[in-house]
Structure formats: structure tokens, C-alpha cells
Amino acid sequence: MRWTGETINLVEIAYGIWLTGQLNNGQLNNGQVSVTEIVEFLEVAFRVKIGKPHRRWQGIARRKRLGYTRFLDEMKGAIEKRVEEELIR
């Protein structure tokens, strides 16, 4: 598989995963992974170059008018629409 969307969308996902503590590295100390590790994983998994997470974060922080979580909001809307469509059937 290859990521075909905007890389900033993967950065939104990476920060969401990191900020909600969804991954650990299996260490005894709860092994919280860094956002950089998550971004590196996504780069390999989806064969895409994202770059430095903190710089991409600055891009997210600057897009106040469009919404900080534009892609995550789009994903949420798509999921809600699909669930509603299935309930109607």
C-alpha cells in the first residue's frame, strides 16, 4: 500500500495517536513512543516521506481558519455518514 493523500493528513493521525497514548514500545516503563517514532513508522508503512514532525505540526497550528484537525474531521464525517447509511438499510 502507498499513501496517496496529503502527508499533512498523516501528521494529524500521528499526533492524534501520540497525544492519546495509543502506542507503546513494549517496555516495562509503559514505553510511550515519541511522535517522531510514529511518523517514522507511518513513513515506512505507507512508503511516503513526511519529514520533521515538529515542522509539520507548525503547519497544523497555522491553519486555524481551515480547522486544526481538518482531515480527522473529514474522517469522522465519513464514518458517521457510513454508519447512518447502514442504519437506514
Side-chain angles (χ1 to χ4, degrees):
M1 286 184 269
R2 184 176 194 91
W3 184 260
T4 59
E6 296 179 42
T7 54
I8 194 73
N9 296 341
L10 271 180
V11 175
E12 274 187 49
I13 292 169
Y15 271 94
I17 291 168
W18 178 63
L19 290 168
T20 58
Q22 300 299 304
L23 294 176
N24 71 50
N25 62 13
Q27 300 299 316
L28 294 176
N29 63 352
N30 223 7
Q32 193 66 17
V33 298
S34 70
V35 71
T36 300
E37 291 172 298
I38 295 169
V39 165
E40 289 170 354
F41 172 80
L42 293 172
E43 285 179 320
V44 172
F46 292 114
R47 297 186 295 156
V48 66
K49 184 68 178 148
I50 296 172
K52 299 190 182 297
H54 69 278
R55 288 199 178 178
R56 302 308 297 268
W57 175 257
Q58 292 169 347
I60 289 171
R62 282 192 297 263
R63 63 184 192 190
K64 183 177 183 178
R65 195 181 93 228
L66 298 172
Y68 299 121
T69 57
R70 188 181 73 205
F71 181 63
L72 295 175
D73 295 340
E74 181 182 332
M75 287 177 62
K76 178 182 179 248
I79 291 169
E80 289 172 345
K81 180 180 178 195
R82 174 71 182 255
V83 169
E84 289 171 7
E85 288 171 353
E86 288 181 2
L87 290 174
I88 292 172
R89 292 183 196 166

Coordinates of all heavy atoms in Angstrom, one line a residue:
M1 N 0.8 -1.2 0.0 CA 0.0 0.0 0.0 C 0.9 1.2 0.0 O 2.0 1.2 0.5 CB -0.9 0.0 1.2 CG -2.0 -1.0 1.2 SD -3.1 -0.8 2.6 CE -2.3 -2.0 3.7
R2 N 0.3 2.3 -0.6 CA 1.0 3.5 -0.6 C 0.1 4.7 -0.3 O -1.1 4.7 -0.8 CB 1.6 3.7 -2.0 CG 2.4 5.0 -2.2 CD 3.1 5.0 -3.6 NE 4.1 6.0 -3.6 CZ 5.4 5.8 -3.3 NH1 5.8 4.6 -3.0 NH2 6.2 6.8 -3.3
W3 N 0.5 5.6 0.5 CA -0.3 6.8 0.9 C -0.5 7.7 -0.3 O 0.5 8.0 -1.0 CB 0.4 7.5 2.0 CG -0.5 8.6 2.5 CD1 -0.3 10.0 2.2 CD2 -1.6 8.6 3.4 NE1 -1.3 10.7 2.9 CE2 -2.1 9.9 3.6 CE3 -2.2 7.5 4.1 CZ2 -3.2 10.1 4.5 CZ3 -3.3 7.8 4.9 CH2 -3.8 9.1 5.1
T4 N -1.7 8.0 -0.7 CA -1.9 8.9 -1.8 C -2.5 10.3 -1.4 O -2.6 11.1 -2.3 CB -2.9 8.2 -2.8 OG1 -4.1 8.0 -2.1 CG2 -2.3 6.9 -3.4
G5 N -2.8 10.4 -0.1 CA -3.3 11.7 0.3 C -2.2 12.7 0.7 O -1.0 12.4 0.5
E6 N -2.6 13.8 1.2 CA -1.6 14.8 1.6 C -0.8 14.3 2.8 O -1.5 13.7 3.7 CB -2.3 16.1 2.0 CG -2.9 16.8 0.8 CD -3.6 18.1 1.2 OE1 -3.0 18.8 2.0 OE2 -4.7 18.3 0.7
T7 N 0.5 14.5 2.9 CA 1.2 14.0 4.0 C 0.9 14.7 5.3 O 1.0 14.1 6.4 CB 2.7 14.1 3.8 OG1 3.1 15.5 3.5 CG2 3.2 13.2 2.7
I8 N 0.4 15.9 5.3 CA -0.1 16.6 6.5 C -1.2 15.8 7.2 O -1.3 15.8 8.4 CB -0.5 18.0 6.2 CG1 -0.6 18.9 7.5 CG2 -1.7 18.1 5.4 CD1 0.7 19.2 8.1
N9 N -2.0 15.1 6.4 CA -3.1 14.3 7.0 C -2.5 13.1 7.8 O -3.0 12.8 8.9 CB -4.0 13.7 5.8 CG -4.7 14.8 5.1 OD1 -4.8 15.9 5.6 ND2 -5.1 14.5 3.9
L10 N -1.4 12.5 7.4 CA -0.7 11.5 8.2 C -0.2 12.1 9.5 O -0.1 11.4 10.5 CB 0.4 10.8 7.4 CG 0.0 9.6 6.6 CD1 1.2 9.1 5.9 CD2 -0.6 8.5 7.4
V11 N 0.3 13.3 9.4 CA 0.8 14.0 10.6 C -0.3 14.2 11.6 O -0.1 14.0 12.8 CB 1.5 15.3 10.2 CG1 1.9 16.1 11.4 CG2 2.7 15.1 9.3
E12 N -1.5 14.6 11.1 CA -2.7 14.7 12.0 C -2.9 13.4 12.7 O -3.1 13.3 13.9 CB -3.9 15.1 11.2 CG -4.1 16.5 11.0 CD -5.5 16.8 10.4 OE1 -6.5 16.3 10.9 OE2 -5.5 17.6 9.4
I13 N -2.9 12.3 12.0 CA -3.1 11.0 12.5 C -2.0 10.6 13.5 O -2.3 10.2 14.6 CB -3.2 9.9 11.4 CG1 -4.4 10.1 10.6 CG2 -3.1 8.5 12.0 CD1 -4.4 9.3 9.3
A14 N -0.8 10.9 13.2 CA 0.4 10.6 14.1 C 0.2 11.4 15.4 O 0.4 10.8 16.5 CB 1.7 11.0 13.4
Y15 N -0.1 12.6 15.3 CA -0.2 13.4 16.6 C -1.4 13.0 17.4 O -1.4 12.9 18.6 CB -0.3 14.9 16.3 CG 1.1 15.6 16.3 CD1 1.8 15.7 15.1 CD2 1.7 15.9 17.4 CE1 3.1 16.3 15.0 CE2 3.0 16.5 17.4 CZ 3.6 16.7 16.2 OH 4.9 17.2 16.2
G16 N -2.5 12.6 16.7 CA -3.7 12.0 17.4 C -3.3 10.8 18.2 O -3.7 10.6 19.3
I17 N -2.6 9.9 17.5 CA -2.1 8.6 18.2 C -1.2 9.0 19.3 O -1.4 8.4 20.4 CB -1.4 7.7 17.1 CG1 -2.4 7.2 16.1 CG2 -0.7 6.6 17.8 CD1 -1.7 6.5 14.9
W18 N -0.3 9.9 19.1 CA 0.7 10.2 20.2 C 0.0 10.9 21.4 O 0.2 10.5 22.5 CB 1.8 11.1 19.6 CG 2.8 11.5 20.6 CD1 3.7 10.8 21.3 CD2 3.1 12.9 20.9 NE1 4.5 11.5 22.0 CE2 4.1 12.8 21.9 CE3 2.5 14.1 20.6 CZ2 4.6 14.0 22.5 CZ3 3.0 15.2 21.2 CH2 4.1 15.2 22.1
L19 N -0.8 11.9 21.1 CA -1.4 12.7 22.2 C -2.4 11.9 23.0 O -2.7 12.2 24.1 CB -2.1 13.9 21.6 CG -1.1 15.0 21.1 CD1 -1.9 16.0 20.3 CD2 -0.3 15.6 22.2
T20 N -3.0 10.8 22.4 CA -3.9 10.0 23.1 C -3.3 8.7 23.7 O -3.9 7.9 24.3 CB -5.1 9.6 22.3 OG1 -4.7 8.9 21.1 CG2 -5.9 10.8 21.9
G21 N -2.0 8.6 23.5 CA -1.2 7.5 24.1 C -1.6 6.1 23.6 O -1.7 5.2 24.4
Q22 N -1.9 6.0 22.3 CA -2.4 4.7 21.8 C -1.3 3.7 21.5 O -1.7 2.5 21.3 CB -3.2 5.0 20.5 CG -4.3 5.9 20.6 CD -5.4 5.4 21.6 OE1 -5.9 4.3 21.4 NE2 -5.7 6.1 22.6
L23 N -0.1 4.0 21.5 CA 1.0 3.1 21.2 C 2.0 3.1 22.3 O 2.3 4.1 23.0 CB 1.7 3.4 19.9 CG 0.9 3.3 18.6 CD1 1.8 3.8 17.5 CD2 0.5 1.9 18.4
N24 N 2.6 1.9 22.6 CA 3.8 1.8 23.4 C 4.8 0.9 22.8 O 4.5 0.2 21.8 CB 3.5 1.4 24.9 CG 3.1 0.0 25.0 OD1 3.7 -0.9 24.5 ND2 1.9 -0.2 25.6
N25 N 6.0 0.9 23.2 CA 7.1 0.1 22.6 C 7.3 -1.2 23.4 O 8.3 -1.8 23.1 CB 8.3 0.9 22.5 CG 8.9 1.4 23.8 OD1 8.5 0.9 24.8 ND2 9.9 2.3 23.7
G26 N 6.4 -1.5 24.3 CA 6.5 -2.8 25.0 C 7.5 -2.8 26.1 O 7.7 -3.9 26.7
Q27 N 8.1 -1.7 26.5 CA 9.0 -1.6 27.6 C 8.2 -1.6 28.9 O 7.0 -1.3 29.0 CB 9.8 -0.4 27.5 CG 10.7 -0.3 26.3 CD 11.7 -1.4 26.2 OE1 12.3 -1.8 27.1 NE2 11.8 -2.0 25.0
L28 N 8.9 -2.0 30.0 CA 8.2 -2.1 31.3 C 7.8 -0.7 31.8 O 6.8 -0.7 32.6 CB 9.2 -2.7 32.3 CG 9.5 -4.2 32.0 CD1 10.6 -4.7 33.1 CD2 8.3 -5.1 32.1
N29 N 8.4 0.3 31.4 CA 8.0 1.7 31.9 C 6.9 2.3 31.1 O 6.8 3.5 31.0 CB 9.3 2.6 31.9 CG 9.7 2.8 30.4 OD1 9.2 2.2 29.5 ND2 10.7 3.7 30.3
N30 N 6.0 1.5 30.6 CA 4.9 1.9 29.8 C 5.3 2.3 28.4 O 4.5 2.5 27.6 CB 4.0 3.0 30.5 CG 2.6 2.7 30.3 OD1 2.2 1.7 29.8 ND2 1.8 3.7 30.7
G31 N 6.6 2.4 28.2 CA 7.2 2.6 26.9 C 6.5 3.5 25.9 O 6.3 3.2 24.7
Q32 N 6.1 4.7 26.4 CA 5.5 5.6 25.5 C 6.4 6.0 24.3 O 7.5 6.3 24.5 CB 5.1 6.9 26.3 CG 4.2 7.8 25.6 CD 2.8 7.2 25.4 OE1 2.4 6.3 26.0 NE2 2.0 7.8 24.5
V33 N 5.9 5.9 23.1 CA 6.7 6.2 21.9 C 6.6 7.7 21.6 O 5.6 8.3 22.0 CB 6.2 5.4 20.7 CG1 6.4 3.9 20.9 CG2 4.8 5.6 20.3
S34 N 7.6 8.2 20.9 CA 7.6 9.6 20.5 C 6.8 9.8 19.3 O 6.6 8.8 18.5 CB 9.0 10.1 20.4 OG 9.6 9.5 19.2
V35 N 6.4 11.0 19.0 CA 5.7 11.3 17.8 C 6.6 11.1 16.6 O 6.2 10.6 15.5 CB 5.1 12.8 17.8 CG1 6.2 13.8 17.7 CG2 4.1 12.9 16.7
T36 N 7.9 11.3 16.8 CA 8.9 11.0 15.7 C 8.9 9.5 15.3 O 8.9 9.2 14.2 CB 10.3 11.5 16.1 OG1 10.3 12.9 16.4 CG2 11.3 11.2 15.1
E37 N 8.8 8.7 16.3 CA 8.8 7.2 16.1 C 7.5 6.8 15.3 O 7.5 6.0 14.4 CB 8.9 6.4 17.4 CG 10.2 6.5 18.1 CD 10.2 5.9 19.4 OE1 9.4 6.3 20.3 OE2 10.9 4.9 19.6
I38 N 6.4 7.5 15.7 CA 5.1 7.2 15.0 C 5.2 7.6 13.6 O 4.8 6.9 12.6 CB 4.0 7.8 15.7 CG1 3.8 7.2 17.1 CG2 2.7 7.7 14.9 CD1 2.8 7.9 18.0
V39 N 5.7 8.8 13.3 CA 5.9 9.4 12.0 C 6.8 8.4 11.2 O 6.5 8.1 10.0 CB 6.4 10.8 12.0 CG1 6.9 11.3 10.6 CG2 5.3 11.7 12.5
E40 N 7.9 8.0 11.7 CA 8.8 7.1 11.0 C 8.2 5.8 10.6 O 8.3 5.3 9.5 CB 10.1 6.9 11.9 CG 11.0 8.1 11.9 CD 12.1 8.0 13.0 OE1 12.2 6.9 13.7 OE2 13.0 8.9 13.0
F41 N 7.3 5.3 11.6 CA 6.6 4.1 11.3 C 5.6 4.3 10.1 O 5.5 3.5 9.2 CB 5.8 3.6 12.5 CG 4.9 2.5 12.2 CD1 5.3 1.2 12.2 CD2 3.5 2.7 12.0 CE1 4.5 0.1 11.9 CE2 2.7 1.7 11.8 CZ 3.1 0.4 11.7
L42 N 4.9 5.4 10.1 CA 3.9 5.7 9.1 C 4.6 5.9 7.7 O 4.1 5.5 6.7 CB 3.1 6.9 9.4 CG 2.1 6.7 10.6 CD1 1.5 8.0 11.0 CD2 1.1 5.7 10.3
E43 N 5.8 6.5 7.8 CA 6.6 6.7 6.5 C 6.9 5.3 5.9 O 6.8 5.2 4.7 CB 7.9 7.5 6.8 CG 7.7 8.9 7.0 CD 9.0 9.7 7.3 OE1 9.9 9.1 8.0 OE2 9.1 10.8 6.8
V44 N 7.4 4.4 6.7 CA 7.7 3.1 6.2 C 6.5 2.3 5.7 O 6.4 1.7 4.7 CB 8.5 2.3 7.3 CG1 8.7 0.8 6.8 CG2 9.9 2.9 7.5
A45 N 5.5 2.3 6.6 CA 4.3 1.6 6.3 C 3.6 2.0 5.0 O 3.1 1.2 4.3 CB 3.3 1.7 7.5
F46 N 3.6 3.3 4.8 CA 2.9 3.8 3.6 C 3.8 4.4 2.5 O 3.3 5.0 1.6 CB 1.9 5.0 4.1 CG 0.8 4.4 4.9 CD1 0.6 4.8 6.2 CD2 -0.2 3.6 4.4 CE1 -0.4 4.4 7.0 CE2 -1.2 3.1 5.1 CZ -1.3 3.5 6.4
R47 N 5.1 4.1 2.7 CA 6.1 4.5 1.6 C 5.9 5.9 1.2 O 5.7 6.2 0.0 CB 5.9 3.5 0.4 CG 6.2 2.1 0.8 CD 6.3 1.2 -0.4 NE 4.9 1.1 -1.0 CZ 4.7 0.8 -2.3 NH1 5.8 0.5 -3.1 NH2 3.5 0.7 -2.8
V48 N 6.1 6.8 2.2 CA 5.9 8.2 2.0 C 6.9 8.9 2.8 O 7.3 8.4 3.9 CB 4.5 8.7 2.3 CG1 4.2 8.5 3.7 CG2 4.2 10.1 1.8
K49 N 7.4 10.1 2.4 CA 8.3 10.9 3.2 C 7.5 12.1 3.8 O 6.9 12.9 3.1 CB 9.4 11.5 2.3 CG 10.5 12.3 3.0 CD 11.3 11.4 4.0 CE 12.3 12.2 4.6 NZ 12.6 11.7 6.0
I50 N 7.5 12.1 5.1 CA 6.8 13.1 5.9 C 7.7 14.3 6.3 O 7.3 15.4 6.2 CB 6.0 12.5 7.1 CG1 5.0 11.5 6.6 CG2 5.4 13.6 8.0 CD1 4.3 10.7 7.7
G51 N 8.9 13.9 6.7 CA 9.8 14.9 7.2 C 9.7 15.1 8.7 O 9.3 14.2 9.4
K52 N 10.2 16.3 9.2 CA 10.3 16.5 10.6 C 8.9 16.8 11.2 O 8.2 17.8 10.8 CB 11.2 17.7 10.9 CG 12.6 17.4 10.4 CD 13.6 18.4 10.9 CE 15.0 18.2 10.4 NZ 15.6 17.0 10.8
P53 N 8.4 16.0 12.2 CA 7.1 16.2 12.7 C 6.9 17.5 13.3 O 5.8 18.1 13.1 CB 7.0 15.1 13.8 CG 8.0 14.1 13.4 CD 9.1 14.8 12.7
H54 N 7.8 18.1 14.0 CA 7.6 19.4 14.6 C 7.3 20.5 13.6 O 6.6 21.4 13.8 CB 8.7 19.8 15.6 CG 10.0 20.1 14.9 ND1 10.9 19.1 14.5 CD2 10.6 21.3 14.6 CE1 12.0 19.7 13.9 NE2 11.8 21.0 14.0
R55 N 8.0 20.4 12.4 CA 7.7 21.4 11.4 C 6.3 21.2 10.8 O 5.7 22.2 10.5 CB 8.8 21.3 10.3 CG 10.1 21.8 10.8 CD 11.0 22.1 9.6 NE 12.2 22.7 10.2 CZ 13.2 23.0 9.5 NH1 13.2 22.9 8.1 NH2 14.3 23.5 10.0
R56 N 5.9 20.0 10.6 CA 4.6 19.7 10.1 C 3.5 20.2 11.1 O 2.5 20.7 10.8 CB 4.4 18.3 9.8 CG 5.4 17.7 8.7 CD 5.5 18.6 7.5 NE 4.3 18.6 6.7 CZ 3.9 17.8 5.7 NH1 4.8 16.8 5.4 NH2 2.8 17.9 5.1
W57 N 3.9 20.0 12.4 CA 3.0 20.5 13.5 C 2.7 22.0 13.4 O 1.6 22.5 13.6 CB 3.5 20.1 14.9 CG 2.7 20.6 16.0 CD1 3.0 21.7 16.8 CD2 1.5 20.1 16.5 NE1 2.0 21.9 17.7 CE2 1.1 20.9 17.5 CE3 0.7 19.0 16.1 CZ2 -0.1 20.7 18.2 CZ3 -0.5 18.8 16.8 CH2 -0.9 19.6 17.9
Q58 N 3.8 22.7 13.1 CA 3.7 24.2 12.9 C 2.7 24.5 11.8 O 1.9 25.4 11.9 CB 5.0 24.8 12.7 CG 6.0 24.7 13.8 CD 7.4 25.1 13.5 OE1 7.7 25.2 12.3 NE2 8.2 25.3 14.5
G59 N 2.7 23.7 10.7 CA 1.7 23.9 9.7 C 0.3 23.6 10.1 O -0.6 24.4 9.7
I60 N 0.1 22.6 11.0 CA -1.2 22.4 11.5 C -1.7 23.5 12.4 O -2.8 24.0 12.3 CB -1.2 21.0 12.3 CG1 -1.1 19.9 11.3 CG2 -2.5 20.9 13.1 CD1 -0.9 18.5 12.0
A61 N -0.8 24.0 13.2 CA -1.1 25.1 14.1 C -1.4 26.4 13.4 O -2.2 27.2 13.9 CB 0.1 25.3 15.1
R62 N -0.9 26.6 12.2 CA -1.1 27.8 11.4 C -2.4 27.8 10.7 O -2.9 28.8 10.2 CB 0.0 28.1 10.5 CG 1.2 28.6 11.1 CD 2.2 29.1 10.0 NE 2.7 28.0 9.2 CZ 3.8 27.4 9.4 NH1 4.6 27.7 10.3 NH2 4.1 26.4 8.6
R63 N -3.1 26.7 10.6 CA -4.3 26.6 9.8 C -5.6 26.8 10.6 O -6.6 26.1 10.3 CB -4.3 25.4 8.9 CG -4.4 24.1 9.7 CD -4.3 23.0 8.7 NE -4.6 21.7 9.4 CZ -4.5 20.5 8.9 NH1 -4.0 20.4 7.7 NH2 -4.8 19.5 9.6
K64 N -5.6 27.7 11.4 CA -6.7 28.0 12.3 C -8.0 28.2 11.5 O -9.1 27.6 11.9 CB -6.5 29.2 13.2 CG -7.6 29.4 14.2 CD -7.2 30.6 15.1 CE -8.3 30.8 16.1 NZ -8.0 31.9 17.0
R65 N -8.0 28.9 10.5 CA -9.2 29.2 9.7 C -9.8 28.0 9.1 O -11.0 27.8 9.0 CB -8.9 30.3 8.6 CG -10.1 30.9 8.0 CD -9.8 31.9 6.9 NE -9.8 31.1 5.7 CZ -8.9 31.1 4.7 NH1 -7.9 31.9 4.9 NH2 -9.1 30.4 3.7
L66 N -9.0 27.1 8.6 CA -9.4 25.8 8.0 C -9.8 24.8 9.0 O -10.5 23.8 8.7 CB -8.4 25.3 7.1 CG -8.0 26.1 5.9 CD1 -6.8 25.5 5.2 CD2 -9.1 26.3 4.9
G67 N -9.3 24.9 10.2 CA -9.5 24.0 11.3 C -8.3 23.2 11.5 O -7.6 22.7 10.6
Y68 N -7.9 23.0 12.8 CA -6.7 22.4 13.1 C -6.7 20.9 12.7 O -5.7 20.3 12.4 CB -6.4 22.5 14.6 CG -6.2 23.9 15.1 CD1 -7.0 24.4 16.1 CD2 -5.2 24.7 14.6 CE1 -6.9 25.7 16.5 CE2 -5.1 26.0 15.0 CZ -5.9 26.5 16.0 OH -5.8 27.8 16.5
T69 N -7.9 20.3 12.8 CA -8.0 18.9 12.5 C -8.9 18.6 11.3 O -9.7 17.7 11.3 CB -8.6 18.1 13.8 OG1 -9.8 18.7 14.1 CG2 -7.6 18.2 15.0
R70 N -8.6 19.3 10.3 CA -9.4 19.2 9.0 C -9.6 17.8 8.6 O -10.7 17.3 8.3 CB -8.8 20.1 8.0 CG -9.6 20.2 6.7 CD -8.9 21.0 5.7 NE -7.9 20.2 5.1 CZ -6.8 20.7 4.5 NH1 -6.6 22.0 4.5 NH2 -5.9 19.9 4.1
F71 N -8.5 17.0 8.5 CA -8.6 15.6 8.0 C -9.3 14.7 9.0 O -10.1 13.9 8.6 CB -7.2 15.1 7.7 CG -7.2 13.7 7.1 CD1 -7.8 13.4 5.9 CD2 -6.6 12.7 7.8 CE1 -7.8 12.1 5.4 CE2 -6.6 11.4 7.3 CZ -7.2 11.1 6.1
L72 N -9.0 14.8 10.2 CA -9.6 14.0 11.2 C -11.1 14.3 11.2 O -12.0 13.4 11.4 CB -9.0 14.2 12.6 CG -7.6 13.7 12.7 CD1 -7.0 14.1 14.1 CD2 -7.4 12.3 12.5
D73 N -11.5 15.5 11.1 CA -12.9 15.9 11.0 C -13.6 15.3 9.7 O -14.7 14.8 9.8 CB -13.1 17.4 10.9 CG -12.6 18.1 12.2 OD1 -12.5 17.4 13.3 OD2 -12.4 19.3 12.2
E74 N -12.8 15.3 8.6 CA -13.3 14.7 7.4 C -13.5 13.2 7.6 O -14.6 12.6 7.2 CB -12.4 14.9 6.3 CG -12.8 14.4 4.9 CD -11.7 14.6 3.8 OE1 -11.0 15.6 3.9 OE2 -11.7 13.8 2.9
M75 N -12.6 12.5 8.3 CA -12.7 11.1 8.5 C -13.9 10.8 9.4 O -14.7 9.9 9.2 CB -11.4 10.6 9.2 CG -10.2 10.4 8.3 SD -8.8 9.9 9.2 CE -9.2 8.3 9.8
K76 N -14.1 11.6 10.5 CA -15.2 11.5 11.4 C -16.5 11.6 10.6 O -17.4 10.8 10.8 CB -15.1 12.5 12.5 CG -16.3 12.5 13.5 CD -16.1 13.6 14.5 CE -17.3 13.6 15.4 NZ -18.2 14.7 15.3
G77 N -16.6 12.6 9.8 CA -17.8 12.8 9.0 C -18.1 11.6 8.1 O -19.3 11.1 7.9
A78 N -17.1 11.0 7.5 CA -17.2 9.9 6.6 C -17.7 8.6 7.3 O -18.6 7.9 6.9 CB -15.9 9.6 5.8
I79 N -17.2 8.4 8.5 CA -17.6 7.3 9.3 C -19.0 7.5 9.8 O -19.8 6.5 9.7 CB -16.6 7.1 10.6 CG1 -15.3 6.7 10.1 CG2 -17.2 6.2 11.6 CD1 -14.2 6.8 11.2
E80 N -19.4 8.7 10.2 CA -20.8 8.9 10.7 C -21.7 8.7 9.5 O -22.8 8.1 9.7 CB -20.9 10.3 11.3 CG -20.2 10.5 12.6 CD -20.2 11.9 13.1 OE1 -20.4 12.8 12.3 OE2 -19.9 12.1 14.3
K81 N -21.4 9.2 8.4 CA -22.3 9.0 7.2 C -22.5 7.5 6.9 O -23.6 7.1 6.6 CB -21.7 9.7 6.0 CG -22.5 9.6 4.7 CD -21.9 10.3 3.6 CE -22.7 10.1 2.3 NZ -22.0 10.5 1.1
R82 N -21.4 6.8 6.9 CA -21.5 5.3 6.6 C -22.3 4.6 7.6 O -23.2 3.8 7.3 CB -20.0 4.7 6.6 CG -19.9 3.2 6.4 CD -20.3 2.8 5.0 NE -20.3 1.4 4.9 CZ -19.4 0.7 4.2 NH1 -18.4 1.3 3.7 NH2 -19.4 -0.6 4.2
V83 N -22.2 4.9 8.9 CA -23.0 4.3 9.9 C -24.4 4.6 9.7 O -25.3 3.7 9.8 CB -22.5 4.7 11.3 CG1 -23.5 4.3 12.4 CG2 -21.1 4.1 11.6
E84 N -24.7 5.9 9.5 CA -26.1 6.3 9.3 C -26.7 5.6 8.0 O -27.9 5.2 8.1 CB -26.2 7.8 9.1 CG -25.9 8.5 10.4 CD -25.8 10.0 10.3 OE1 -26.0 10.6 9.2 OE2 -25.4 10.7 11.3
E85 N -26.0 5.5 7.0 CA -26.4 4.8 5.8 C -26.8 3.3 6.1 O -27.7 2.8 5.6 CB -25.4 4.9 4.6 CG -25.3 6.3 4.0 CD -24.2 6.4 3.1 OE1 -23.4 5.5 2.9 OE2 -24.1 7.5 2.4
E86 N -25.9 2.7 6.9 CA -26.1 1.3 7.2 C -27.4 1.1 8.1 O -28.1 0.1 8.0 CB -24.9 0.7 7.9 CG -23.8 0.5 6.9 CD -22.5 -0.1 7.5 OE1 -22.6 -0.4 8.7 OE2 -21.5 -0.3 6.8
L87 N -27.6 2.1 8.9 CA -28.8 2.0 9.8 C -30.1 2.2 9.0 O -31.1 1.6 9.4 CB -28.7 3.1 10.9 CG -27.7 2.9 12.0 CD1 -27.6 4.1 12.9 CD2 -27.9 1.6 12.8
I88 N -30.0 2.9 7.9 CA -31.2 3.1 7.1 C -31.6 1.8 6.3 O -32.8 1.6 6.1 CB -31.0 4.3 6.1 CG1 -30.9 5.6 6.9 CG2 -32.1 4.4 5.1 CD1 -30.5 6.8 6.1
R89 N -30.6 1.0 6.0 CA -30.9 -0.2 5.2 C -31.7 -1.2 5.9 O -32.0 -1.5 6.9 CB -29.5 -0.9 4.8 CG -28.8 -0.1 3.9 CD -27.5 -0.8 3.5 NE -26.6 0.1 2.8 CZ -25.4 -0.1 2.6 NH1 -24.8 -1.2 3.0 NH2 -24.6 0.8 2.1

